[in-house]
Amino acid sequence: MPQFKHPPLGIPTDSAKRWTENYQLTTQGSGRLFLMAGDQKVEHLNDDFVGGQVAADDADPEHLFRIASAAPVGCFAAQMGLISHYGMDYPEVPYLLKLNSKTHLVKTAQRDPASLQWQSMAQVRDFVRHSGLKIVGVGYTIYPGSLYEPEMLSEAARIIQDAHAMGLLAVIWAYPRGQAVGDKEQDPHMIAGASGLVACLGADFAKVNPPLDAQGNMDARLLGEAVAAAGRTQVICAGGSETDSESFLQRLHAQIHIGGTQGCATGRNVHQRSQPDAVHFCQAIHALVVKNQSVEEAAKLLGEAS
């Protein structure tokens, strides 16, 4: 398991020290990241929070914070506005500020995706200074292949540099998308290209969708190209829509031990469950990602909420 990562060059010594502290905090000394994603309230509006098998308490935004507070997550990613309303009641949570988001209403067939920065880094700096919260990093989504790629890449590069200068981690959500990409959004070679792009931007983690084979199936072996392309930028996979717990753990274990990824970013698979089930599911993910336990060992934690 990776356990040590050097801070990026070109930042003050005190910032490098804060960066290292934040890296150790979020990876919990393991070198792997378990990121709880809570940015879907913008990305998917209310679709992920009501109806079907979604737990009734997921309708309340505080459900996300209750889980993040009780579960062993490395960090909880959400928009600054949401954190500003709930963070005072959950100051123990390590937070990652998601600095851009867009809804899913405008489809790629209508217009190539564009998602630009919501808050300036000066506002981020003020929030870090005055909120009293554990702000460990920032996140930003890019859509390689979009006609609006240049604007997003330029913003991402500046955000990453400014974040590092503040001693914060930088996580880039990288989703190839747009008319130039077509149906190759999860093509292994395309995912590898996006991962290498994130490395060139200087981010610490690249959050990508897992690649699919020609038949549309996930195969952890296909992640090898992306992990190699990313180099010292660590690759983590998005969790996707909710699936049964053991299948999720088996897939995650394969992504790490066969594909070479270094953690996961999980949203819907966590918050769509009731709080007790979500917390125990997070404990199982933590056991697998951070403690390096087997699927069988991690799965033992799943039944404790019943």
Side-chain angles (χ1 to χ4, degrees):
M1 288 178 63
Q3 294 186 354
F4 181 77
K5 184 177 171 73
H6 290 282
L9 295 176
I11 61 176
T13 301
D14 58 342
S15 296
K17 180 180 178 182
R18 283 195 299 272
W19 184 96
T20 300
E21 291 170 350
N22 285 326
Y23 181 81
Q24 291 297 328
L25 175 63
T26 54
T27 64
Q28 298 163 313
S30 72
R32 291 182 184 157
L33 175 62
F34 171 18
L35 182 151
M36 177 181 164
D39 59 328
Q40 297 95 350
K41 290 191 74 66
V42 175
E43 300 293 337
H44 304 157
L45 295 178
N46 220 36
D47 292 355
D48 288 342
F49 298 90
V50 296
Q53 300 299 310
V54 178
D57 41 359
D58 202 16
D60 181 356
E62 194 166 2
H63 179 61
L64 299 169
F65 291 83
R66 295 188 185 109
I67 295 170
S69 176
V73 302
C75 65
F76 172 48
Q79 291 83 10
M80 185 190 296
L82 196 63
I83 294 170
S84 72
H85 281 297
Y86 293 92
M88 69 286 290
D89 294 328
Y90 303 93
E92 70 284 356
V93 175
Y95 291 102
L96 185 138
L97 305 178
K98 185 71 193 305
L99 296 183
N100 72 330
S101 290
K102 70 171 189 62
T103 76
H104 61 343
L105 295 177
V106 178
K107 307 303 182 186
T108 303
Q110 298 171 261
R111 180 180 185 268
D112 273 11
S115 185
L116 300 181
Q117 186 175 359
W118 285 17
Q119 288 93 10
S120 70
M121 291 308 289
Q123 290 172 316
V124 170
R125 188 176 296 107
D126 287 342
F127 191 77
V128 171
R129 181 182 298 125
H130 301 302
S131 68
L133 301 178
K134 297 177 183 177
I135 309 299
V136 297
V138 299
Y140 185 93
T141 299
I142 60 172
Y143 296 103
S146 167
L147 288 172
Y148 307 99
E149 171 190 286
E151 292 90 339
M152 288 180 280
L153 296 184
S154 181
E155 281 194 348
R158 291 194 297 268
I159 286 170
I160 292 166
Q161 182 62 34
D162 289 345
H164 286 161
M166 296 168 60
L168 301 177
L169 304 179
V171 181
I172 296 296
W173 282 235
Y175 301 140
R177 195 165 297 168
Q179 295 182 46
V181 176
D183 61 358
K184 293 186 176 182
E185 290 185 10
Q186 288 179 261
D187 175 81
H189 193 59
M190 186 72 73
I191 296 295
S195 300
L197 172 58
V198 175
C200 292
L201 289 171
D204 306 301
F205 290 91
K207 176 179 180 282
V208 300
N209 282 318
L212 304 177
D213 64 18
Q215 288 71 46
N217 300 314
M218 292 186 190
D219 184 340
R221 292 172 294 184
L222 298 175
L223 280 161
E225 185 184 352
V227 171
R232 293 181 178 178
T233 292
Q234 296 175 254
V235 175
I236 59 177
C237 283
S241 57
E242 186 180 356
T243 186
D244 70 272
S245 302
E246 293 205 30
S247 294
F248 181 94
L249 294 176
Q250 290 168 353
R251 184 179 71 193
L252 176 56
H253 188 272
Q255 288 172 349
I256 292 172
H257 293 279
I258 297 175
T261 61
Q262 294 174 320
C264 67
T266 307
R268 287 169 283 179
N269 268 284
V270 170
H271 67 70
Q272 289 184 341
R273 304 169 191 266
S274 68
Q275 183 180 341
D277 287 343
V279 170
H280 286 288
F281 186 48
C282 287
Q283 290 171 340
I285 295 173
H286 175 267
L288 195 153
V289 172
V290 175
K291 294 185 176 181
N292 206 33
Q293 293 183 359
S294 67
V295 173
E296 293 73 22
E297 291 172 313
K300 292 176 182 178
L301 299 168
L302 296 173
E304 296 180 3
S306 59

